[in-house]
Amino acid sequence: MILPIVAYGDPVLKKKAVEIDASYPNLKELIANMYETMYGAYGVGLAAPQIGLAIRMFLVDTSPFAEDESFSKEEQEELKNFKKTFINPVILEEEGDEWAFNEGCLSIPDIREDVFRQPKIKIQYQDEDFNTYTEEYDGLIARVIQHEYDHIEGILFTDKLSSFKKRLLKGKLQNISKGKIRADYKMRFPAMSRKR
Ligand SMILES: [Zn+2]
């Protein structure tokens, strides 16, 4: 089932999300719905707060980047096959010199900006069966994980921009929170749900 994606301005996107355990109701179904929602919106990542749940879980599937010719064949292959569900993740380490990448977000349609992040991460997380792993990632995969991880910490990519850029985007962001935007997927807008 495709779930509506929460738009910029909804307080759930600003919350620090909480851990879950195996007793979380209908978890497998929720994860399946989140994948369907992410693919329906042509996203490469989706965090639980973006469908209105302040829990520490996100999904990543970088396969759409595999078509990008600017990556090496090896990187393309890696991006093509990277699909993973992260539950209760903790970024243990981030290292290297920050690099810029033009990021977007399903909760902030039509806005893309360069965001600076460190290239390498070490992350501990649990899978859908609550097995724990510690893994290292770099490049674009690390980038998508960092973006999604920020969501469960209540941080959006627009929070990381310069105050000048934020001022420039203010009107556009306000329009998104008021639902004055056209997205190709189902969204839920804070101003509209308040009216009910
Ligand atoms: Zn996002």
Side-chain angles (χ1 to χ4, degrees):
M1 185 175 70
I2 291 185
L3 309 164
I5 294 175
V6 169
Y8 179 92
D10 191 304
V12 74
L13 296 175
K14 298 256 115 192
K15 269 191 203 158
K16 190 175 158 83
V18 298
E19 289 196 353
I20 57 168
D21 60 30
S23 71
Y24 194 85
N26 307 319
L27 184 60
K28 292 267 153 86
E29 193 187 334
L30 172 64
I31 292 168
N33 289 342
M34 282 180 65
Y35 273 106
E36 200 183 334
T37 301
M38 178 175 76
Y39 294 134
Y42 300 100
V44 293
L46 184 71
Q50 294 183 277
I51 49 118
L53 296 172
I55 58 172
R56 299 184 77 79
M57 178 165 81
F58 59 79
L59 330 168
V60 174
D61 185 337
T62 57
S63 54
F65 286 126
E67 328 260 287
D68 191 328
E69 300 286 328
S70 63
F71 298 108
S72 69
K73 279 272 162 292
E74 198 187 346
E75 282 172 305
Q76 285 182 328
E77 200 58 29
E78 205 187 350
L79 291 165
K80 194 169 124 188
N81 297 309
F82 191 79
K83 173 183 171 176
K84 214 177 267 269
T85 307
F86 293 83
I87 297 174
N88 302 328
V90 181
I91 291 185
L92 302 170
E93 282 168 33
E94 283 181 289
E95 56 175 326
D97 293 333
E98 290 191 340
W99 64 296
F101 184 80
N102 203 244
E103 293 189 20
C105 181
L106 294 177
S107 295
I108 314 174
D110 283 352
I111 293 182
R112 300 196 68 91
E113 291 293 339
D114 278 355
V115 178
F116 287 85
R117 299 184 190 273
Q118 288 182 284
K120 288 178 81 173
I121 61 164
K122 186 194 263 188
I123 187 168
Q124 188 178 74
Y125 66 94
Q126 292 174 307
D127 67 9
E128 300 177 20
D129 300 310
F130 290 87
N131 302 303
T132 301
Y133 303 86
T134 303
E135 288 166 358
E136 288 178 35
Y137 295 105
D138 60 15
L140 203 49
I141 290 176
R143 162 78 54 170
V144 178
I145 292 172
Q146 287 162 317
H147 176 112
E148 299 311 323
Y149 187 82
D150 273 352
H151 273 301
I152 62 170
E153 293 288 300
I155 298 165
L156 300 171
F157 84 85
T158 47
D159 296 329
K160 303 179 94 77
L161 304 174
S162 67
S163 45
F164 174 69
K165 264 275 147 64
K166 278 183 202 154
R167 262 200 311 278
L168 285 181
L169 290 173
K170 205 175 170 198
K172 258 183 149 181
L173 290 169
Q174 270 171 356
N175 281 343
I176 294 173
S177 63
K178 287 178 191 155
K180 291 181 191 163
I181 189 91
R182 213 177 251 282
D184 304 334
Y185 42 89
K186 204 169 19 157
M187 292 196 83
R188 194 181 90 193
F189 299 98
M192 285 162 76
S193 43
R194 221 177 289 137
K195 248 185 261 163
R196 266 187 243 125

